[in-house]
C-alpha cells in the first residue's frame, strides 16, 4: 500500500520553559530535506552560540522517514532522543527541532534532562500545531469544451479533489490538478484510455 499522507508543523515558532533555573528554548521549523534541517540547526546554534547546549533532532520524508538526533554535549541519550521521541509521538515529519539550553546552575541528572528536553520539545510541537500534506504530482490535461464537465466528474470519482484543480479556458480547456501518489495508477490508466478514445486531447505529468 502506498503511503502518501503525512503531517508537518503548521508554524515555525519558538517556545520557552524554565526548569530549576535552566532555560530551555525550543525552536521548530518545517524542513523538507536533510540539508534544510541542518541549515536550521546551524542558524539556531549561531544565534544562541552563548548557550550551554543546542540539542536537536529532525525527521524528514515518509515511508520510511529519515531521522537523526544530537545531544550536543549533554550526556548520551538525554537530549537528542527525547526531542526525536516527541516528534515521533506528535506524528509529524518534515520537522527539525532544536532545544537551546542556558544552564541555571542546578544539575538535573540523567532522568531530569530526559524529561526537560522532552517537555520543551512537546511544548513547542503543541504550540505549532500540524497540517496535513500529501505526496503526489500535478497533472496537466487538455480537453475539448463538450467533454469538460463529464471529464471532471469522472476524475472526481477517482478520488482527485476538485479543489486541487485549476481550470483555464482557451482554445480548449486546460486543467491542472494535484494527483496524490496513491491514486496515480488508476488516474494514469484513465487518462491513457481517455486519450485513446479522444475524450481528452492530451496530458502530461509534472
Amino acid at each position: 500500500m502506498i503511503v502518501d499522507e503525512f503531517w508537518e508543523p503548521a508554524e515555525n515558532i519558538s517556545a520557552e520553559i524554565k526548569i530549576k533555573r535552566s532555560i530551555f528554548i525550543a525552536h521548530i521549523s518545517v524542513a523538507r530535506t536533510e540539508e534544510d534541517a541542518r541549515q536550521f540547526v546551524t542558524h539556531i546554534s549561531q544565534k544562541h552560540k552563548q548557550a550551554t547546549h543546542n540539542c536537536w533532532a529532525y525527521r524528514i520524508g515518509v515511508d520510511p522517514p529519515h531521522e537523526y538526533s544530537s545531544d550536543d554535549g549533554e550526556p548520551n541519550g538525554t537530549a537528542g532522543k527525547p526531542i526525536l521521541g516527541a516528534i515521533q509521538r506528535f506524528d509529524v515529519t518534515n520537522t527539525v527541532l532544536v532545544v537551546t539550553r542556558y544552564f541555571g546552575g542546578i544539575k538535573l541528572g540523567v532522568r531530569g534532562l530526559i524529561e526537560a528536553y522532552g517537555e520543551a520539545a512537546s511544548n513547542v510541537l503543541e504550540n505549532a500545531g500540524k497540517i496535513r500534506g500529501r505526496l503526489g504530482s500535478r497533472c496537466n490535461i487538455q480537453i475539448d469544451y463538450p467533454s469538460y464537465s463529464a471529464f471532471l466528474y469522472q476524475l472526481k470519482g477517482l478520488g482527485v479533489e476538485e479543489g486541487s484543480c485549476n481550470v483555464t479556458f482557451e482554445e480548449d480547456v486546460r486543467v491542472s490538478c494535484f494527483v496524490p501518489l496513491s491514486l496515480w495508477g488508476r488516474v494514469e490508466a484513465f487518462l491513457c484510455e481517455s486519450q485513446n478514445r479522444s475524450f481528452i486531447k492530451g496530458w502530461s505529468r509534472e
Side-chain angles (χ1 to χ4, degrees):
M1 180 179 177
I2 297 174
V3 177
D4 61 22
E5 185 174 280
F6 61 90
W7 295 86
E8 62 184 21
E11 293 186 82
N12 298 348
I13 64 168
S14 298
E16 179 180 314
I17 62 173
K18 191 173 183 179
I19 299 175
K20 293 185 178 179
R21 298 198 302 205
S22 281
I23 296 173
F24 294 83
I25 309 169
H27 320 264
I28 191 171
S29 178
V30 173
R32 296 193 173 93
T33 67
E34 292 186 78
E35 181 181 357
D36 288 344
R38 291 182 179 275
Q39 286 179 352
F40 182 76
V41 171
T42 298
H43 168 70
I44 295 299
S45 298
Q46 290 177 345
K47 181 178 179 180
H48 292 275
K49 58 186 177 182
Q50 301 304 319
T52 316
H53 303 281
N54 286 288
C55 307
W56 53 270
Y58 63 71
R59 192 171 193 242
I60 309 294
V62 297
D63 199 30
H66 299 285
E67 300 175 337
Y68 201 86
S69 64
S70 169
D71 297 309
D72 190 39
E74 291 281 32
N76 186 40
T78 62
K81 285 185 178 180
I83 296 169
L84 181 57
I87 295 171
Q88 292 168 337
R89 286 192 300 276
F90 205 65
D91 193 26
V92 289
T93 189
N94 296 341
T95 302
V96 55
L97 203 161
V98 182
V99 178
T100 299
R101 181 190 184 192
Y102 287 90
F103 182 54
I106 299 176
K107 293 184 178 181
L108 302 181
V110 170
R111 175 53 55 186
L113 287 172
I114 291 172
E115 291 176 353
Y117 279 102
E119 181 181 344
S122 296
N123 182 49
V124 79
L125 282 159
E126 290 286 350
N127 288 338
K130 59 184 180 180
I131 55 174
R132 185 182 72 127
R134 296 193 80 176
L135 298 174
S137 304
R138 293 208 72 82
C139 182
N140 301 307
I141 309 152
Q142 296 172 258
I143 316 167
D144 288 325
Y145 277 84
S147 305
Y148 163 60
S149 296
F151 174 81
L152 279 190
Y153 178 80
Q154 293 185 51
L155 199 61
K156 184 179 177 181
L158 292 172
V160 176
E161 295 180 3
E162 188 173 350
S164 76
C165 296
N166 299 320
V167 182
T168 56
F169 299 95
E170 301 176 7
E171 291 184 5
D172 48 28
V173 182
R174 306 291 176 96
V175 177
S176 175
C177 57
F178 178 81
V179 180
L181 190 62
S182 59
L183 300 181
W184 255 110
R186 54 184 174 177
V187 169
E188 184 174 23
F190 168 66
L191 292 171
C192 290
E193 181 186 0
S194 296
Q195 188 170 6
N196 289 337
R197 295 191 293 113
S198 299
F199 188 49
I200 62 174
K201 297 177 71 173
W203 66 278
S204 64
R205 177 178 180 177
E206 291 183 9

